Each structure stands twice: as C-alpha cells, then as structure tokens.
Amino acid sequence: MTEKNNDSLEKIVSLCKRRGFIYPSSEIYGGLAGAFDFGPLGVELKNNLKNIWWQMFVHDREDMYGLDASILMNSKVWEASGHLAGFADPLVECQKCHSKFRADQIGFPVENMKKGVSGSTVFILPRCPNCNSVDDWNAPTMFNMMFQTTIGAEKDSSATVYLRPETAQGIFTDFKNVLDSFHPKLPFGIAQIGKAFRNEISPRDFVFRVRELEQMEIEYFVREADWVQHFETWRQAVHEYLALIGVAKEKVHELEVSDEERAHYSKRTIDFEFDYPFGRKELYGLAYRTDYDLTHHQEKSNQDLNYYDEETKEHFIPHVIEPSFGVERTVLAVLLSAYREDELGGEKRNYLAFEPRVAPIKVAVFPLLKNKPDLVTKARSVFSLLKKDLAGQIIFDDNGNIGKRYRRQDEIGTPWCVTIDFDTLDNDTVTVRDRDTGEQRRLAISELGTYFRQSL
Ligand code: ATP
C-alpha cells in the first residue's frame, strides 16, 4: 500500500479551479456530487489527451475503425450484456445516521456478498465513517449503478432506457455494421471515445470517481487461439500511451485481477493502477472479454453476428481484448505526474511540467512592457505569425510584470514563453524561456516556427 498524501490532491484541486482547468459542476447552486466541468484550459488538456490516443490507436494503424455510438440504447442491450442483472455495487446503510456507503470501500467483507454467501464466518464490521457507530448496519444490498430515464411520453416499463455505463456495448452492437461496410480481416479493432454514466454510491477523490465520465475504449477482435499474444501487445500499448502523455512510470503498477474480483465477462483482467495521493487505485483496465458479449447479443437479438473468414470458409464469433481508458483518471494522473514545486531565481514556484504535446498552451507571447506601443505591435505580429501553426494553443499576455507572467504560465504548464524586448526592434530576435529550467535563449523570429515544430 502506498502512503496517502491528500495534501498534493488539495493543491491540484485548488490549482485546477484557480487557473481554469476543472470546476465543480453547477457550483453557484452548491455543486452536484460526482460531476465536474472542464474549464478553458481543462478542455484543451483533455482534448490533447484524447487526440493523442485517437492518433496513436486509430489514425496511425490500419487495423482500427473509429465509432461514435449513441449514449441511449435499446434496453435489450443491457439485458444481453449482463449489466441489468449484474452491474451493481454492494450498498450498506447506517441505521443510526442513515448515511449510505459502498460496502467494500469501508471494509465490509464484500467478496462473500457478491457471491451471495450469508456466511457462518464472523466478521468484524467497520464503524460508520460518518457517526462512528458500530453494529448498526442494515443487511447489504446490491445497488445497480445504471442511471435510468424514460423515453418519449409513455411512462410504463417499455419506455425505460439507461444511460450507457460503458462505451463498449455500442461497439458490439455495431460490430456487424462495421463488418458489412468494411470487410475487415481479423485481427482488427473498433475504437470509441465517449461519455458513460455510473450512479456511483460514493463519488470521491476529485475526478477519480465521478458519475458522468468519459471513456476511451477499444474492442480488439481476434481468433480465440491468439488472445494471449494480443493481450500482451495491448498491455505494452497501454504503457506506450502513458509514456507519451507523461504519466510518471514509477507510479504505474499492474495488478492481476483475481478470479473472484473479475467482471462476469472476463477470463483475464489486468488493472493498471496509479499511485494517487489517496492511495494506489485503478487507472485503466485491460480485459480478455472472450466471445461473451457478441455471443449474448447474437442470442438476444436473433441476428447472425458471426465473422466469416473468406480464406478458411469458417464462420465464428471472434474473441475480444479490451483496453479501457478513463479520461478523467488520465487527466488526474497527468496533472499529478506533472506537478512540481521548486525555487527559481530565489523565488518559490509551483509548475506543471507537462509534456509539450499535452500542454493546453504551448507558447505564450509577451511584450516586455505593456505601455510601449512599438513593443506591443511587434509582439502582436509575432503572435499572429506563430498562431498559424499553434491556433488555440498560444496566448498573448501583457498583464502584470514579466516575472508574474512567467509564474502564471509555469503554473498552467506552458513550455515556452516568447518575450519581445527592445533588442527585438533592432535585430528581429526574441527570448524563448524554458518552463522547467527558466533558461532563456535568443532566437531569430524567422527560426521560431521551426523551433517549436521540432520541439513538439
Ligand atoms: P473501479 O473499480 O475504480 O470502480 P471499474 O473496475 O468499475 O473501476 P471499469 O468498469 O473497468 O472500471 O471501467 C473502465 C475505466 O473507466 C476505468 O479503468 C476507469 O479509468 C474509468 N472509470 C470507471 N468508473 C469511473 C468513475 N466512476 N469515474 C471515473 N472514471 C471511471
């Protein structure tokens, strides 16, 4: 177990709010547990992480197909997938203060509950984390985490639909469509990024456990005999993505999920865990889902979901390897990996050492002094020049003195600051300051485009 240090989580939460990365949802009304808004910098950071993922796993490969399935689906999907019956967490309620908790998170012997064993073993029950009473628990019940709503004007059960709790099922229900449109050869994958909803009993730890989340998921279809090899390849691919986005390698650990803990559809699962300030917890999952989903959808829908191999003339249901990445947990792991405190030029500072490809703002352009029109005009022209390549990820800043501007950019993780000073007016050179070292180098304006392109 890693040491818990919520101190650094508080610092990240406060930085995110102050600098416009992440805000609590509907804050002016007191917020809503488990819901967050991504502010102007947060949305850029999140989009960079999603775009890198899409580039790496879809655009750079020839065996992947993208998809954007709907969030609302026919309820039979969730019957077939097993979510209606089994997508549940154990819920306990303290009879004294009526607080509700996810039983396994407060130390209940949850394995026995999942298996429906009332048990002759004597367990020491936890105290209520809210009122500290003991022995006041009701019998644990399984609480289904899918959000329900009704569709159209009818209010009977035929109108009940669910907000998808995972993006994966849209991939399975469109499997046949992709086969018919593209005739892909095995192995191939379908990738999707989208929102999912889980009515978590206790949302907590900032964006780690939220009720409205975003997932980046791949279903990679293989022959059964090849699953071990593909599982291994995807395991490496997860680490490659983490390295690319700057997640601290030493904080990532693999956990082989035991038979008892694995989801109903999986024959092997590895959790990629991260050392968060609140402990070592899941970041991503990699599961061998067998042919469970396609087989069940074939049975329930009465549609033929077989793959036809033209060479061998075989019809069969492919098996599936699923790497599943949560976007919010990615954002959190990237922020926690990048956060630094140090002293620069005799002053304390904190900064985000983002990988440049991930940073929401790549370059900030400053005129040395705000009240010198020549400097401001020149700085504006440099800004316009660089904007051609860096639209949306470059800002112009003339607020406060230069030291304050540097601190502000450090805190939001901008890798480079370009300052236009009096020498610029003479010789068309500018200073480029490096975020991590604070070092400045002088470059010709004409070199800047190439310099940033190469550095990125
Ligand atoms: P946990 O055990 O932490 O509840 P899980 O095993 O239920 O997670 P999966 O069903 O494997 O999670 O979901 C795949 C991924 O989606 C997770 O690895 C995580 O990155 C993300 N995820 C799942 N639930 C949440 C949530 N409530 N908030 C944020 N991200 C989530």
Side-chain angles (χ1 to χ4, degrees):
M1 200 59 189
T2 46
E3 218 175 280
K4 294 186 184 178
N5 171 14
N6 273 314
D7 185 34
S8 65
L9 185 68
E10 273 166 30
K11 287 177 181 168
I12 293 286
V13 173
S14 137
L15 189 159
C16 282
K17 169 88 198 300
R18 194 169 62 248
R19 293 296 184 197
F21 282 91
I22 302 173
Y23 307 123
S25 160
S26 27
E27 197 183 9
I28 57 169
Y29 292 104
L32 178 71
F36 289 88
D37 298 340
F38 284 80
L41 294 184
V43 69
E44 294 298 332
L45 173 64
K46 187 160 85 139
N47 283 344
N48 289 342
L49 295 167
K50 292 195 285 183
N51 290 340
I52 293 168
W53 188 92
W54 196 261
Q55 175 82 35
M56 179 173 176
F57 293 123
V58 183
H59 287 177
D60 286 351
R61 301 173 60 123
E62 289 177 24
D63 58 348
M64 294 289 283
Y65 298 82
L67 187 73
D68 185 10
S70 65
I71 289 172
L72 298 176
M73 302 179 82
N74 190 309
S75 296
K76 288 183 183 152
V77 169
W78 309 112
E79 283 175 38
S81 68
H83 282 82
L84 263 177
F87 191 63
D89 273 341
L91 171 76
V92 283
E93 182 176 340
C94 170
Q95 295 300 292
K96 206 164 179 188
C97 71
H98 297 288
S99 299
K100 293 191 171 91
F101 300 95
R102 199 173 121 178
D104 54 324
Q105 286 178 346
I106 59 166
F108 266 80
V110 74
E111 277 326 304
N112 297 289
M113 287 188 291
K114 272 191 188 163
K115 287 186 205 146
V117 178
S118 56
S120 50
T121 324
V122 179
F123 297 109
I124 301 169
L125 294 179
R127 285 181 177 275
C128 172
N130 187 46
C131 69
N132 210 28
S133 75
V134 72
D135 284 343
D136 271 320
W137 299 107
N138 69 342
T141 50
M142 292 310 278
F143 171 75
N144 194 300
M145 290 200 291
M146 284 201 291
F147 278 100
Q148 258 186 44
T149 186
T150 48
I151 211 154
E154 306 302 325
K155 286 274 178 271
D156 61 29
S157 64
S158 68
T160 301
V161 289
Y162 301 89
L163 303 186
R164 65 180 180 198
E166 61 174 25
T167 58
Q169 295 305 322
I171 297 182
F172 294 122
T173 52
D174 271 327
F175 172 73
K176 190 76 180 153
N177 285 328
V178 175
L179 281 190
D180 292 346
S181 307
F182 299 94
H183 306 287
K185 298 258 172 301
L186 282 182
F188 73 92
I190 303 179
Q192 170 163 228
I193 300 179
K195 292 262 184 177
F197 299 82
R198 296 182 179 193
N199 198 358
E200 296 280 358
I201 296 167
S202 326
R204 54 163 75 178
D205 299 324
F206 195 32
V207 295
F208 173 80
R209 188 172 298 288
V210 286
R211 290 184 168 132
E212 176 177 340
L213 57 132
E214 217 169 345
Q215 292 182 315
M216 309 187 280
E217 292 196 305
I218 292 165
E219 304 305 323
Y220 198 71
F221 300 97
V222 303
R223 287 172 173 277
E224 182 177 6
D226 300 336
W227 80 265
V228 174
Q229 164 208 337
H230 290 293
F231 192 91
E232 193 51 40
T233 310
W234 281 105
R235 178 186 189 164
Q236 297 308 327
V238 171
H239 288 292
E240 282 163 32
Y241 175 68
L242 288 170
L244 208 59
I245 59 172
V247 169
K249 200 171 176 214
E250 67 282 2
K251 291 190 173 181
V252 176
H253 310 273
E254 288 184 10
L255 175 81
E256 187 74 47
V257 180
S258 66
D259 291 355
E260 296 75 34
E261 294 270 344
R262 265 199 315 269
H264 57 282
Y265 50 73
S266 172
K267 260 201 182 157
R268 186 179 180 198
T269 298
I270 288 180
D271 281 351
F272 292 81
E273 297 189 313
F274 182 80
D275 292 326
Y276 298 95
F278 41 86
R280 186 173 291 178
K281 300 261 166 72
E282 178 171 333
L283 172 59
Y284 302 146
L286 174 66
Y288 168 41
R289 283 180 92 126
T290 67
D291 57 355
Y292 180 92
D293 299 271
L294 286 178
T295 304
H296 281 78
H297 285 306
Q298 174 163 276
E299 277 168 17
K300 183 91 192 160
S301 66
N302 275 325
Q303 300 286 317
D304 179 7
L305 299 184
N306 277 285
Y307 171 84
Y308 176 61
D309 189 320
E310 282 169 11
E311 277 166 30
T312 62
K313 313 286 180 221
E314 288 169 283
H315 289 267
F316 60 94
I317 299 273
H319 280 231
V320 174
I321 308 294
E322 178 196 71
S324 180
F325 306 67
V327 174
E328 286 75 9
R329 291 187 191 178
T330 308
V331 169
L332 189 54
V334 165
L335 285 164
L336 288 163
S337 301
Y339 186 78
R340 311 262 192 288
E341 290 176 357
D342 71 356
E343 232 180 79
L344 193 68
E347 260 187 70
K348 283 202 163 123
R349 67 160 183 169
N350 59 288
Y351 68 106
L352 289 169
F354 286 138
E355 279 293 317
R357 63 173 74 85
V358 157
I361 305 290
K362 314 287 190 231
V363 177
V365 179
F366 311 147
L368 181 64
L369 299 170
K370 188 183 182 173
N371 55 2
K372 297 283 175 211
D374 288 357
L375 290 181
V376 175
T377 309
K378 191 72 182 168
R380 279 272 166 208
S381 78
V382 172
F383 176 70
S384 303
L385 182 82
L386 295 176
K387 209 172 167 202
K388 287 184 194 134
D389 269 356
L390 295 166
Q393 309 220 331
I394 176 166
I395 57 166
F396 184 88
D397 189 2
D398 59 7
N399 255 325
N401 67 37
I402 199 90
K404 281 210 178 104
R405 293 182 216 159
Y406 284 151
R407 294 294 164 276
R408 201 154 50 227
Q409 295 306 320
D410 288 346
E411 206 177 21
I412 64 170
T414 306
W416 301 288
C417 294
V418 171
T419 303
I420 282 72
D421 55 21
F422 292 104
D423 287 346
T424 316
L425 302 178
D426 286 340
N427 60 15
D428 263 352
T429 63
V430 294
T431 63
V432 178
R433 173 187 176 271
D434 178 271
R435 172 198 62 204
D436 301 347
T437 60
E439 278 166 19
Q440 301 187 21
R441 51 156 60 192
R442 242 187 137 89
L443 287 179
I445 292 172
S446 58
E447 293 174 303
L448 289 177
T450 317
Y451 178 73
F452 293 130
R453 253 194 309 276
Q454 279 172 358
S455 310
L456 283 164

